[in-house]
Amino acid sequence: MPGLNGYDRFGRIARQSWVDGALTTHSTDTTVPNIPPIVALAYGYDKMGNRTHMYDARPGASRENRDWEYAYDGLNRLIEARRGVRDGSWADGPGGERWSLDMLGNWGEFEKDLDGDGAFGGVNDSLQEREHNFANEITKITDYADPTNPATGDDLEFGYTDTGAMAEQEQLDVFRQIKVLAYTHDAWQRLVRVEFGVELRAEYEYNGLNWRVVKRADMQESPDGTLTQERVMLYDSRWRIVEEWIDDDLDENPGIDRIAQQIWGPRYVDDAILRRQSTNLGNDDPNTTWETLHYYLTDALFSPVALVTHTGALAERVSYTPYGVARHHWAHDVNGDGAVTTDSGDPTSDVSLANDALNETIADAGYNVDADVNRDGVVDSTDINAITAAAAAALPDGMVSDADAGGGGADSAVGHASTLADQIIGNSYASQLYLSTALGRSIQSVDALFIVSYYTHKYEIRTNRNGLQIGRNVGGSCVKDTHPTAAGSWCNQTCNESRDDLGGNHCETQWGPRCCVCTGNIQWRFPLSSQNERAKTIRCVEAHELDHLSRCGLEPPMSSACDECLSYRKEIDCIYDDEGPPGTPPNWFRIACNAFPRREDSGWSEYVDETWQNCLRYCNTCFIANPLIGVGGCSQ
């Protein structure tokens, strides 16, 4: 069942299909295949490379809200995602989303079209108004039960630690009662404990490389604070989980009950291929028997959209909102609501929809591809019987896989953009960072977690470029001037538009220093192999830009106090703040301005050298200091 990609002339994926080996052209209708592909997705892009749509391209696709169309603002930020059906013309369905973004990319408003009428803000829709502080931390959400009635708004507040990690998050339960989700972080900003209401939900442990190696969670249908499951996780050298030792009855009978292995492929750093489990350890000695095997079928963002067994039978599907909120679908879910319903008296039930397509072939207009359970190209009594026997309730929102390993479930955590879904607390785990799919942002302070590492950085760059963001832009987005500039325009570039600089080109507009403050979205021109040097470079570039903002503010015109010399001095101070033994002047006091320390990491040396050269460029004089009095550096 290979994944087949079709590309446009710019090398972007325009169509992606996962098919059975027996798929060929239909014998009587050459416009369709003989059997349906398991997955077929069609993509489109605008001239800026933003994804404009994602359609279900399977013949006979019939679900009401199967397709997505996207819209962007002038900064190429996703502001609207409509959900519905594109069949010649567009028909809206429930599930569309819209964002009002401030100048830093924070969600000022978040709306959902719940009734599928194509409009937002109606009585039956969803509206959240959000507030943020000067550190871009979300501080309050006003959630309206009725967007047309301000009196129905519930205020949900957030608390933070002194280091910027989210400590408390108020949420509404199904009865619109406010519950507190409390996070505890250790001294290294790592999430170690989660409580919901008064109940403990999860605990986490990490190794010296900041990899999450132990997770304990309350997996009960009615949680009571008892941690019932423990997972011990093993990784490869690329930070990917490769094995889990799972204890499913930690509270009653501690000990490993099953082993799961995660196999990754070569197409991308997180290319999920196979998950296999040994669920009968007592009979495995000395060799392990893998009772369940599930293969991943992924989309263009490497998000699993379907899992199949080793025999090729569909096990489950997953669909996602643009920011990664997952909806699990059983293999026999025909209408796409997540459940399998068998009430023949309900015209929208899965059995009724399958009966409507009975005896229809893939070449017929009435064919329903989701009712063709065995994928033989015709909906027949075999499919009807299979759907009738598979009645099941929907899994909760956020679940990406069936966790019932004893019943043959895949129990997979790989979710949107190949992040790991933490289905207990509703977040995704991306290397060292917890992302809230509901909030569209991290719950941790990104700088302390070295978020510039390749493994985490790739999520932001890959998804932002396609307009499908899994989190708030971790770097500084463009800050529009509050007045028009002398040229009559605003800063119109964002930090992640710079592909070859450490904070320069993207801000070299007329009022450049105030346009951007770059942190996590810097594209590395210098190949920094050391994580410490990468993190320090981020801090020093940020110190440079923040110096501009602290002296100049956000409003033009630029004054003489906003020159580059002082900001480069601030960057130099940052670079050398820890040089030399305690009690002695820093090493940079003993060297000329055009010299730099040669470290193991040549990329770091190049960065330091360029910083010095820029210092010389913008400062009138540069002199060697007297190491005994501890003064020196670039000066005007």
Side-chain angles (χ1 to χ4, degrees):
M1 290 168 292
L4 305 177
N5 293 333
Y7 299 90
D8 65 14
R9 58 180 176 170
F10 299 106
R12 301 171 301 197
I13 295 178
R15 188 182 179 103
Q16 184 177 36
S17 299
W18 291 88
V19 304
D20 291 289
L23 185 142
T24 185
T25 304
H26 196 275
S27 59
T28 60
D29 186 349
T30 58
T31 64
V32 295
N34 63 324
I35 58 176
I38 309 170
V39 173
L41 297 170
Y43 304 100
Y45 306 87
D46 63 20
K47 61 184 179 181
M48 297 298 294
N50 300 312
R51 183 176 297 167
T52 56
H53 67 256
M54 181 177 68
Y55 300 150
D56 186 344
R58 295 175 299 161
S62 303
R63 290 178 177 173
E64 292 183 355
N65 58 345
R66 60 184 180 269
D67 298 328
W68 288 93
E69 293 191 347
Y70 310 106
Y72 303 85
D73 64 10
L75 296 176
N76 299 308
R77 304 179 303 183
L78 180 67
I79 57 173
E80 189 171 301
R82 290 193 173 274
R83 196 168 191 179
V85 174
R86 170 63 68 176
D87 186 11
S89 61
W90 177 259
D92 283 291
E97 300 181 349
R98 186 168 69 180
W99 300 264
S100 297
L101 306 178
D102 67 15
M103 58 190 179
L104 294 177
N106 299 311
W107 300 3
E109 288 186 353
F110 174 46
E111 301 175 88
K112 291 183 181 181
D113 175 14
L114 299 181
D115 55 16
D117 64 355
F120 296 90
V123 173
N124 297 316
D125 292 327
S126 170
L127 169 64
Q128 290 184 353
E129 293 178 344
R130 301 187 177 190
E131 297 180 12
H132 304 81
N133 60 22
F134 288 113
N136 294 321
E137 297 166 340
I138 185 170
T139 56
K140 185 172 77 171
I141 290 178
T142 302
D143 188 296
Y144 294 94
D146 176 0
T148 67
N149 184 358
T152 64
D154 291 293
D155 290 338
L156 309 175
E157 298 186 343
F158 298 78
Y160 295 86
T161 66
D162 291 339
T163 55
M166 190 178 293
E168 291 185 346
Q169 172 187 352
E170 291 186 340
Q171 295 182 333
L172 293 174
D173 62 17
V174 294
F175 304 106
R176 294 193 65 85
Q177 299 297 310
I178 296 178
K179 295 290 183 67
V180 177
L181 189 62
Y183 304 105
T184 302
H185 301 81
D186 65 12
W188 292 271
Q189 290 278 66
R190 302 176 303 195
L191 182 65
V192 295
R193 184 181 176 93
V194 178
E195 296 164 287
F196 187 67
V198 297
E199 307 295 351
L200 174 64
R201 296 305 305 272
E203 290 181 344
Y204 307 94
E205 295 179 11
Y206 304 82
N207 66 11
L209 296 174
N210 294 323
W211 299 348
R212 185 180 68 180
V213 293
V214 178
K215 172 186 173 182
R216 301 182 190 92
D218 185 349
M219 301 293 293
Q220 301 173 93
E221 190 171 329
S222 300
D224 62 4
T226 302
L227 301 181
T228 60
Q229 185 189 80
E230 179 181 78
R231 293 174 183 259
V232 177
M233 291 159 274
L234 309 179
Y235 294 76
D236 64 10
S237 60
R238 301 177 73 179
W239 301 23
R240 301 177 302 191
I241 290 179
V242 293
E243 187 165 297
E244 294 178 275
W245 300 344
I246 305 169
D247 181 356
D248 288 313
D249 49 7
L250 175 66
D251 56 324
E252 297 177 353
N253 186 23
I256 301 173
D257 296 310
R258 53 191 169 100
I259 293 175
Q261 288 188 343
Q262 196 74 36
I263 312 300
W264 305 92
R267 296 182 303 161
Y268 202 72
V269 62
D270 289 337
D271 172 22
I273 290 181
L274 169 67
R275 182 173 177 82
R276 61 183 186 181
Q277 297 183 79
S278 178
T279 58
N280 189 12
L281 298 183
N283 295 328
D284 286 343
D285 193 33
N287 299 311
T288 299
T289 301
W290 303 104
E291 285 83 16
T292 64
L293 292 90
H294 290 88
Y295 293 88
Y296 293 92
L297 313 185
T298 56
D299 64 11
L301 288 180
F302 292 89
S303 308
V305 291
L307 274 76
V308 297
T309 67
H310 69 285
T311 64
L314 179 66
E316 52 194 2
R317 295 185 186 272
V318 193
S319 57
Y320 307 89
T321 67
Y323 276 81
V325 177
R327 161 49 61 198
H328 173 271
H329 305 275
W330 302 106
H332 303 83
D333 179 9
V334 180
N335 60 17
D337 65 357
V340 180
T341 51
T342 59
D343 181 4
S344 59
D346 179 0
T348 65
S349 74
D350 300 294
V351 165
S352 294
L353 293 176
N355 275 316
D356 291 343
L358 185 61
N359 298 324
E360 299 282 353
T361 73
I362 195 171
D364 298 328
Y367 175 74
N368 187 327
V369 66
D370 291 297
D372 186 3
V373 175
N374 58 10
R375 301 195 306 277
D376 63 356
V378 60
V379 179
D380 54 25
S381 60
T382 302
D383 301 307
I384 304 295
N385 293 336
I387 295 170
T388 303
L395 297 182
D397 284 345
M399 295 283 286
V400 298
S401 181
D402 177 15
D404 184 12
D411 189 28
S412 170
V414 183
H416 186 252
S418 68
T419 59
L420 299 179
D422 194 323
Q423 302 171 147
I424 299 301
I425 61 174
N427 292 339
S428 293
Y429 183 66
S431 296
Q432 300 172 12
L433 184 69
Y434 284 91
L435 302 170
S436 171
T437 54
L439 297 178
R441 61 194 299 136
S442 167
I443 66 169
Q444 294 153 294
S445 173
V446 294
D447 289 339
L449 289 168
F450 309 120
I451 209 59
V452 296
S453 67
Y454 172 72
Y455 299 101
T456 304
H457 189 187
K458 66 100 176 179
Y459 296 115
E460 289 291 339
I461 294 305
R462 173 155 52 83
T463 54
N464 282 354
R465 187 170 57 203
N466 290 328
L468 301 177
Q469 305 171 17
I470 62 169
R472 183 175 62 88
N473 204 332
V474 299
S477 299
C478 261
V479 179
K480 289 183 178 180
D481 289 329
T482 56
H483 304 277
T485 65
S489 63
W490 286 332
C491 173
N492 61 357
Q493 293 178 297
T494 58
C495 292
N496 61 344
E497 285 177 338
S498 177
R499 292 290 181 258
D500 60 357
D501 208 315
L502 278 171
N505 290 349
H506 59 279
C507 287
E508 290 178 2
T509 58
Q510 185 168 7
W511 309 112
R514 288 162 300 170
C515 289
C516 302
V517 175
C518 288
T519 53
N521 277 347
I522 289 175
Q523 298 283 329
W524 296 109
R525 171 164 133 200
F526 307 115
L528 299 169
S529 59
S530 165
Q531 188 181 69
N532 289 333
E533 305 300 10
R534 286 197 299 268
K536 189 168 184 179
T537 304
I538 277 288
R539 293 198 301 272
C540 295
V541 172
E542 185 180 29
H544 176 116
E545 298 299 338
L546 288 175
D547 179 68
H548 282 304
L549 294 179
S550 66
R551 289 182 293 106
C552 314
L554 292 175
E555 298 182 0
M558 181 182 290
S559 69
S560 60
C562 299
D563 54 54
E564 291 288 341
C565 178
L566 294 176
S567 294
Y568 273 109
R569 289 191 66 183
K570 183 72 69 172
E571 191 170 348
I572 293 291
D573 287 342
C574 174
I575 290 174
Y576 292 99
D577 63 358
D578 60 354
E579 291 296 317
T584 63
N587 292 342
W588 74 282
F589 287 143
R590 303 191 187 98
I591 61 176
C593 285
N594 60 353
F596 54 90
R598 292 291 180 184
R599 300 193 179 187
E600 259 183 52
D601 197 321
S602 60
W604 168 264
S605 297
E606 291 179 62
Y607 160 64
V608 175
D609 182 45
E610 179 165 292
T611 304
W612 274 111
Q613 296 303 321
N614 285 331
C615 184
L616 286 169
R617 171 186 173 192
Y618 287 108
C619 297
N620 293 335
T621 60
C622 193
F623 58 90
I624 304 173
N626 183 334
L628 298 178
I629 60 176
V631 296
C634 293
S635 174
Q636 286 189 305

